[in-house]
Amino acid sequence: MGNELGHELYESIYDKNYDYTFKLLLVGESGIGKTFLLYKFTDNINDTNISQTIGISYKSKNIELENLKIKLKIFDAPGLQQLRNFANNLYPGTNGVLLIYDVSNKLSFEAIPNWFKMARENTQKDCCVFLVGSKCDIENRVISEEEGKNFLIN
């Protein structure tokens, strides 16, 4: 699975075939499972050997909720420091940012305030920001659910 941008990257955010279209952006440090979550959600692929994102990955998912057709355009931003300028170009027009950290990697959690700041500086005020802990199924968890909740409160 490579980094497939596809022709949909260049479509406008509005799609007349759907009641709603939302642009979502996955951000966080490198190697924390953003791409795995993307493929698991969009294609139900459960491959833990997905290669690290170099550049930008893009997938879309169509869902129906309460008789409404919804298209989710999901961008997976690179976490590597030298590629972060790519992520900055993705923020405009974003409806939701998922701040992702690895529950077994304290450094990835400690970087969340920086990703949050970047999201707030580069999106509209009505953009929703979500905190997501990845790899919750592994045993060597170092960030508790309580710590994640406390970040949200503070």
Side-chain angles (χ1 to χ4, degrees), residues 125-140:
K125 290 184 192 274
D126 62 348
C127 179
C128 298
V129 179
F130 305 91
L131 182 64
V132 177
S134 69
K135 304 182 185 179
C136 294
D137 57 333
I138 61 177
E139 291 185 23
N140 59 337

Side-chain angles (χ1 to χ4, degrees), residues 11 27-28 32 107 115 130 135-136 143:
E11 294 176 353
V27 299
I32 58 161
L107 292 176
W115 288 104
F130 305 91
K135 304 182 185 179
C136 294
I143 305 298

Side-chain angles (χ1 to χ4, degrees), residues 22 43-44 49 57 75 89 96 115 117 130 135 140 143:
F22 296 106
D43 300 322
N44 201 27
N49 295 318
S57 285
F75 294 83
N89 295 327
W115 288 104
K117 181 179 183 234
F130 305 91
K135 304 182 185 179
N140 59 337
I143 305 298

Side-chain angles (χ1 to χ4, degrees), residues 70-82:
I70 301 168
K71 181 172 195 149
L72 302 175
K73 296 181 175 189
I74 309 167
F75 294 83
D76 174 10
L80 292 170
Q81 181 67 39
Q82 59 268 36

